[in-house]
Coordinates of all heavy atoms in Angstrom, one line a residue:
R171 N 24.0 -23.4 19.8 CA 24.7 -22.1 19.3 C 24.5 -21.0 20.3 O 25.2 -20.0 20.1 CB 24.0 -21.7 18.0 CG 24.5 -22.5 16.8 CD 23.7 -22.2 15.5 NE 24.3 -22.7 14.3 CZ 23.7 -22.6 13.1 NH1 22.5 -22.0 12.9 NH2 24.3 -23.1 12.0
A172 N 23.7 -21.1 21.3 CA 23.4 -20.0 22.2 C 24.6 -19.4 22.9 O 24.8 -18.2 22.9 CB 22.3 -20.4 23.2
A173 N 25.5 -20.2 23.4 CA 26.6 -19.7 24.1 C 27.5 -18.8 23.3 O 28.1 -17.8 23.8 CB 27.5 -20.9 24.7
S174 N 27.6 -19.2 22.0 CA 28.5 -18.4 21.1 C 27.9 -17.1 20.7 O 28.6 -16.2 20.0 CB 28.9 -19.2 19.9 OG 27.7 -19.5 19.1
V175 N 26.6 -16.8 20.9 CA 26.0 -15.6 20.5 C 25.4 -14.8 21.7 O 24.4 -14.1 21.5 CB 25.0 -15.8 19.3 CG1 25.7 -16.3 18.1 CG2 23.9 -16.8 19.8
Q176 N 26.0 -14.9 22.8 CA 25.5 -14.2 24.0 C 25.4 -12.7 23.8 O 24.4 -12.0 24.2 CB 26.3 -14.5 25.2 CG 25.9 -15.8 26.0 CD 24.5 -15.9 26.3 OE1 23.9 -15.0 26.9 NE2 23.8 -16.9 25.8
A177 N 26.4 -12.1 23.2 CA 26.4 -10.7 23.0 C 25.2 -10.2 22.2 O 24.5 -9.2 22.5 CB 27.7 -10.2 22.3
E178 N 24.9 -10.9 21.1 CA 23.8 -10.6 20.2 C 22.5 -10.8 21.0 O 21.6 -10.0 20.9 CB 23.8 -11.5 19.0 CG 24.8 -11.1 17.9 CD 26.2 -11.7 18.3 OE1 26.4 -12.4 19.3 OE2 27.2 -11.3 17.5
I179 N 22.4 -11.9 21.7 CA 21.2 -12.2 22.5 C 20.9 -11.0 23.5 O 19.8 -10.5 23.5 CB 21.3 -13.5 23.2 CG1 21.3 -14.7 22.2 CG2 20.2 -13.7 24.3 CD1 21.4 -16.1 22.8
E180 N 21.9 -10.6 24.2 CA 21.7 -9.5 25.2 C 21.4 -8.2 24.5 O 20.5 -7.5 25.0 CB 23.0 -9.4 26.0 CG 23.0 -10.4 27.2 CD 24.3 -10.6 27.8 OE1 25.1 -9.7 27.8 OE2 24.6 -11.8 28.3
D181 N 22.0 -7.9 23.4 CA 21.7 -6.7 22.7 C 20.2 -6.7 22.3 O 19.5 -5.7 22.5 CB 22.5 -6.6 21.4 CG 22.9 -5.2 21.0 OD1 22.3 -4.3 21.7 OD2 23.7 -5.0 20.1
Y182 N 19.7 -7.8 21.7 CA 18.3 -7.9 21.4 C 17.4 -7.8 22.6 O 16.3 -7.2 22.6 CB 18.0 -9.1 20.5 CG 18.3 -8.8 19.0 CD1 19.4 -9.3 18.4 CD2 17.4 -8.1 18.3 CE1 19.7 -9.0 17.1 CE2 17.7 -7.8 16.9 CZ 18.8 -8.3 16.4 OH 19.1 -8.0 15.1
L183 N 17.8 -8.5 23.7 CA 16.9 -8.5 24.9 C 16.8 -7.1 25.5 O 15.8 -6.7 26.1 CB 17.4 -9.5 25.9 CG 17.2 -11.0 25.5 CD1 17.8 -11.9 26.6 CD2 15.8 -11.3 25.3
S184 N 17.8 -6.3 25.3 CA 17.8 -4.9 25.9 C 16.7 -4.1 25.2 O 16.4 -3.0 25.7 CB 19.2 -4.3 25.8 OG 19.4 -3.9 24.5
Y185 N 16.2 -4.5 24.1 CA 15.1 -3.7 23.4 C 13.7 -4.3 23.7 O 12.7 -3.8 23.1 CB 15.3 -3.7 21.9 CG 16.4 -2.6 21.5 CD1 17.7 -3.0 21.4 CD2 16.0 -1.3 21.3 CE1 18.6 -2.0 21.0 CE2 16.9 -0.4 21.0 CZ 18.3 -0.7 20.8 OH 19.2 0.2 20.5
E186 N 13.6 -5.4 24.5 CA 12.4 -6.1 24.6 C 11.3 -5.1 25.2 O 10.1 -5.3 24.8 CB 12.5 -7.3 25.5 CG 11.2 -8.2 25.4 CD 11.4 -9.6 26.0 OE1 12.5 -9.8 26.6 OE2 10.5 -10.4 25.9
N187 N 11.7 -4.2 26.0 CA 10.7 -3.3 26.7 C 10.0 -2.4 25.6 O 8.9 -1.8 25.9 CB 11.3 -2.5 27.8 CG 12.4 -1.7 27.3 OD1 13.1 -2.0 26.3 ND2 12.7 -0.6 28.0
E188 N 10.6 -2.3 24.4 CA 10.0 -1.4 23.4 C 9.1 -2.2 22.4 O 8.4 -1.6 21.7 CB 11.1 -0.7 22.6 CG 11.9 0.3 23.5 CD 12.9 1.0 22.7 OE1 12.8 1.2 21.5 OE2 13.9 1.4 23.3
A189 N 9.2 -3.5 22.5 CA 8.7 -4.3 21.4 C 7.2 -4.2 21.2 O 6.6 -4.4 20.1 CB 9.0 -5.8 21.7
A190 N 6.4 -3.9 22.3 CA 4.9 -3.9 22.2 C 4.3 -2.5 21.9 O 3.1 -2.4 21.8 CB 4.4 -4.4 23.6
T191 N 5.2 -1.6 21.6 CA 4.7 -0.2 21.3 C 3.5 -0.2 20.3 O 2.5 0.4 20.6 CB 5.8 0.7 20.9 OG1 6.9 0.6 21.9 CG2 5.3 2.2 20.8
L192 N 3.7 -0.7 19.1 CA 2.7 -0.7 18.1 C 1.5 -1.6 18.4 O 0.4 -1.2 18.2 CB 3.3 -1.1 16.7 CG 4.2 0.0 16.1 CD1 4.9 -0.6 14.8 CD2 3.4 1.3 15.8
Q193 N 1.9 -2.8 18.9 CA 0.8 -3.7 19.3 C -0.2 -3.1 20.3 O -1.4 -3.3 20.1 CB 1.5 -5.0 19.9 CG 0.7 -6.2 19.9 CD 0.3 -6.7 18.5 OE1 1.1 -6.4 17.5 NE2 -0.8 -7.3 18.3
K194 N 0.3 -2.4 21.2 CA -0.6 -1.8 22.2 C -1.5 -0.7 21.6 O -2.7 -0.7 21.9 CB 0.3 -1.1 23.3 CG 0.8 -2.0 24.4 CD 1.5 -1.2 25.5 CE 2.4 -2.1 26.3 NZ 3.5 -1.3 26.9
Q195 N -0.9 0.0 20.6 CA -1.7 1.1 20.0 C -2.7 0.4 19.1 O -3.8 1.0 18.8 CB -0.8 2.0 19.2 CG 0.0 3.0 20.0 CD 0.8 3.9 19.2 OE1 1.8 3.5 18.6 NE2 0.4 5.1 19.1
L196 N -2.4 -0.7 18.5 CA -3.4 -1.5 17.7 C -4.5 -2.0 18.6 O -5.7 -1.8 18.3 CB -2.7 -2.6 17.0 CG -3.6 -3.6 16.2 CD1 -4.3 -2.9 15.1 CD2 -2.7 -4.7 15.6
E197 N -4.2 -2.6 19.7 CA -5.2 -3.2 20.6 C -6.1 -2.1 21.2 O -7.3 -2.4 21.4 CB -4.5 -4.0 21.7 CG -4.0 -5.4 21.1 CD -3.0 -6.1 21.9 OE1 -2.8 -5.7 23.1 OE2 -2.4 -7.1 21.3
S198 N -5.5 -1.0 21.5 CA -6.4 0.1 22.1 C -7.2 0.9 21.1 O -7.9 1.8 21.4 CB -5.4 1.0 22.9 OG -4.6 1.7 22.0
G199 N -6.9 0.6 19.8 CA -7.7 1.3 18.7 C -7.2 2.6 18.3 O -7.8 3.3 17.5
V200 N -6.0 3.0 18.8 CA -5.4 4.2 18.4 C -5.0 4.2 16.9 O -5.1 5.2 16.2 CB -4.2 4.6 19.3 CG1 -3.4 5.7 18.8 CG2 -4.6 4.8 20.7
L201 N -4.5 3.0 16.5 CA -4.1 2.8 15.1 C -5.1 1.9 14.4 O -5.5 0.9 14.9 CB -2.8 2.2 15.0 CG -1.6 3.1 15.6 CD1 -0.3 2.3 15.6 CD2 -1.5 4.4 14.8
P202 N -5.6 2.3 13.2 CA -6.6 1.5 12.5 C -6.0 0.3 11.8 O -4.8 0.4 11.3 CB -7.2 2.5 11.5 CG -6.1 3.5 11.2 CD -5.3 3.6 12.5
L203 N -6.7 -0.8 11.7 CA -6.3 -1.9 11.0 C -6.6 -1.7 9.5 O -7.6 -1.2 9.1 CB -7.1 -3.1 11.5 CG -6.5 -4.5 11.3 CD1 -5.2 -4.6 12.0 CD2 -7.5 -5.6 11.8
R204 N -5.6 -2.0 8.7 CA -5.7 -1.9 7.2 C -5.4 -3.2 6.5 O -4.9 -4.1 7.2 CB -4.7 -0.8 6.7 CG -5.0 0.6 7.1 CD -3.8 1.4 6.5 NE -4.0 2.8 6.7 CZ -4.5 3.6 5.8 NH1 -4.9 3.2 4.6 NH2 -4.7 4.9 6.1
V205 N -5.6 -3.3 5.2 CA -5.1 -4.4 4.5 C -3.6 -3.9 4.1 O -3.4 -2.9 3.5 CB -5.8 -4.7 3.1 CG1 -5.2 -5.8 2.4 CG2 -7.3 -5.0 3.5
T206 N -2.7 -4.8 4.5 CA -1.3 -4.4 4.3 C -0.5 -5.5 3.6 O -1.0 -6.7 3.6 CB -0.6 -4.0 5.6 OG1 -0.9 -5.0 6.6 CG2 -1.0 -2.6 6.1
H207 N 0.6 -5.2 3.1 CA 1.4 -6.2 2.3 C 2.2 -7.0 3.3 O 2.4 -8.2 3.1 CB 2.3 -5.4 1.3 CG 3.1 -6.3 0.5 ND1 4.3 -6.8 0.9 CD2 3.0 -6.7 -0.8 CE1 4.8 -7.6 -0.1 NE2 4.0 -7.5 -1.2
N208 N 2.8 -6.4 4.2 CA 3.6 -7.0 5.3 C 5.0 -7.5 5.0 O 5.7 -8.1 5.8 CB 2.8 -8.1 6.0 CG 1.5 -7.6 6.6 OD1 1.6 -6.7 7.5 ND2 0.4 -8.1 6.3
D209 N 5.4 -7.4 3.8 CA 6.8 -7.8 3.4 C 7.3 -6.9 2.3 O 7.5 -7.3 1.2 CB 6.7 -9.3 2.9 CG 8.1 -9.9 2.6 OD1 9.1 -9.2 2.9 OD2 8.1 -11.0 2.1
T210 N 7.5 -5.6 2.7 CA 7.7 -4.5 1.7 C 9.1 -4.3 1.4 O 9.6 -3.1 1.3 CB 7.0 -3.2 2.2 OG1 7.5 -3.0 3.6 CG2 5.5 -3.4 2.2
K211 N 9.9 -5.4 1.2 CA 11.2 -5.2 0.7 C 11.2 -4.6 -0.7 O 10.3 -4.8 -1.4 CB 11.9 -6.5 0.6 CG 12.0 -7.3 2.0 CD 13.1 -8.3 2.0 CE 13.1 -9.4 1.1 NZ 13.9 -10.6 1.5
L212 N 12.3 -3.9 -1.0 CA 12.4 -3.2 -2.3 C 12.3 -4.3 -3.4 O 11.8 -4.0 -4.5 CB 13.8 -2.5 -2.3 CG 14.0 -1.7 -3.6 CD1 13.1 -0.5 -3.7 CD2 15.5 -1.2 -3.7
N213 N 12.8 -5.5 -3.1 CA 12.8 -6.5 -4.2 C 11.4 -7.1 -4.4 O 11.2 -8.1 -5.1 CB 13.9 -7.5 -4.1 CG 13.8 -8.3 -2.9 OD1 12.8 -8.3 -2.1 ND2 14.9 -9.1 -2.6
N214 N 10.4 -6.6 -3.6 CA 9.0 -7.0 -3.9 C 8.2 -5.9 -4.6 O 7.0 -5.8 -4.6 CB 8.3 -7.3 -2.6 CG 8.8 -8.7 -2.0 OD1 9.3 -9.5 -2.8 ND2 8.8 -8.8 -0.7
V215 N 9.0 -5.0 -5.3 CA 8.4 -3.9 -6.1 C 9.0 -4.0 -7.5 O 10.2 -4.2 -7.6 CB 8.7 -2.5 -5.5 CG1 8.3 -1.5 -6.5 CG2 7.9 -2.3 -4.3
M216 N 8.2 -3.8 -8.5 CA 8.8 -3.7 -9.9 C 8.6 -2.3 -10.4 O 7.6 -1.7 -10.1 CB 8.0 -4.6 -10.8 CG 7.7 -6.1 -10.4 SD 9.2 -7.0 -10.1 CE 9.7 -7.4 -11.7
L217 N 9.7 -1.8 -10.9 CA 9.7 -0.5 -11.6 C 9.7 -0.6 -13.1 O 10.2 -1.6 -13.6 CB 10.9 0.3 -11.2 CG 11.3 0.5 -9.7 CD1 12.5 1.4 -9.5 CD2 10.1 1.2 -9.0
D218 N 9.1 0.3 -13.8 CA 9.1 0.3 -15.2 C 10.5 0.5 -15.7 O 11.1 1.5 -15.3 CB 8.1 1.4 -15.8 CG 8.0 1.3 -17.2 OD1 9.0 1.4 -18.0 OD2 6.8 1.2 -17.7
A219 N 11.0 -0.4 -16.5 CA 12.4 -0.3 -17.0 C 12.7 1.0 -17.7 O 13.8 1.5 -17.7 CB 12.8 -1.5 -17.8
K220 N 11.7 1.5 -18.5 CA 12.0 2.7 -19.3 C 11.8 4.0 -18.5 O 12.7 4.8 -18.4 CB 11.0 2.7 -20.5 CG 11.3 1.7 -21.5 CD 10.6 2.0 -22.8 CE 10.7 0.8 -23.7 NZ 9.6 -0.2 -23.4
T221 N 10.7 4.1 -17.7 CA 10.5 5.3 -17.0 C 11.0 5.3 -15.6 O 11.2 6.3 -15.0 CB 9.0 5.6 -16.9 OG1 8.4 4.5 -16.1 CG2 8.3 5.6 -18.3
R222 N 11.3 4.1 -15.1 CA 11.8 3.9 -13.7 C 10.7 4.3 -12.7 O 11.0 4.6 -11.5 CB 13.1 4.5 -13.4 CG 14.3 3.7 -13.8 CD 15.6 4.3 -13.4 NE 16.2 3.6 -12.3 CZ 17.1 2.6 -12.4 NH1 17.5 2.2 -13.6 NH2 17.6 2.0 -11.4
K223 N 9.4 4.4 -13.2 CA 8.3 4.8 -12.2 C 7.8 3.5 -11.6 O 7.9 2.4 -12.2 CB 7.2 5.4 -13.0 CG 7.6 6.7 -13.6 CD 7.3 7.9 -12.7 CE 7.6 9.2 -13.4 NZ 8.6 10.1 -12.8
A224 N 7.1 3.6 -10.5 CA 6.5 2.5 -9.8 C 5.6 1.8 -10.7 O 4.8 2.4 -11.4 CB 5.7 3.0 -8.6
L225 N 5.7 0.4 -10.7 CA 4.8 -0.3 -11.6 C 3.9 -1.2 -10.8 O 2.7 -1.1 -10.9 CB 5.7 -1.1 -12.6 CG 5.1 -1.7 -13.8 CD1 4.3 -0.7 -14.7 CD2 6.2 -2.4 -14.7
C226 N 4.5 -2.1 -10.1 CA 3.7 -3.2 -9.5 C 4.3 -3.7 -8.2 O 5.5 -3.7 -8.0 CB 3.7 -4.3 -10.5 SG 2.8 -5.8 -10.0
V227 N 3.4 -4.0 -7.3 CA 3.8 -4.7 -6.0 C 3.7 -6.2 -6.2 O 2.6 -6.7 -6.7 CB 3.0 -4.2 -4.8 CG1 3.2 -5.0 -3.6 CG2 3.3 -2.7 -4.5
I228 N 4.7 -7.0 -5.9 CA 4.6 -8.4 -6.0 C 4.8 -9.1 -4.7 O 4.8 -8.4 -3.6 CB 5.7 -8.9 -7.0 CG1 7.1 -8.6 -6.5 CG2 5.5 -8.4 -8.4 CD1 8.2 -9.4 -7.2
D229 N 4.9 -10.4 -4.7 CA 5.0 -11.2 -3.4 C 3.9 -11.0 -2.4 O 4.1 -10.4 -1.4 CB 6.4 -10.9 -2.8 CG 6.9 -12.0 -1.9 OD1 6.1 -12.9 -1.6 OD2 8.1 -12.0 -1.5
L230 N 2.7 -11.4 -2.8 CA 1.5 -11.1 -2.0 C 1.1 -12.2 -1.0 O 0.1 -12.1 -0.4 CB 0.3 -10.9 -3.0 CG 0.6 -9.8 -4.1 CD1 -0.7 -9.7 -5.0 CD2 0.9 -8.4 -3.4
D231 N 2.1 -13.1 -0.7 CA 1.8 -14.2 0.2 C 1.4 -13.7 1.6 O 0.6 -14.3 2.3 CB 3.0 -15.1 0.4 CG 3.4 -15.8 -0.9 OD1 2.5 -16.2 -1.6 OD2 4.6 -15.9 -1.1

Side-chain angles (χ1 to χ4, degrees):
R171 285 172 165 174
S174 64
V175 293
Q176 273 311 305
E178 287 78 4
I179 291 175
E180 276 163 31
D181 212 352
Y182 275 101
L183 289 179
S184 73
Y185 281 94
E186 190 169 5
N187 60 335
E188 298 184 23
T191 308
L192 288 174
Q193 200 60 32
K194 281 187 197 149
Q195 286 184 288
L196 172 63
E197 283 161 15
S198 66
V200 171
L201 295 174
L203 203 61
R204 290 175 174 268
V205 176
T206 47
H207 182 280
N208 296 306
D209 185 5
T210 52
K211 297 202 302 200
L212 184 68
N213 63 12
N214 287 332
V215 167
M216 310 300 283
L217 303 183
D218 187 302
K220 289 196 193 81
T221 63
R222 277 186 106 93
K223 298 268 187 240
L225 195 54
C226 180
V227 167
I228 61 168
D229 201 348
L230 303 180
D231 296 323

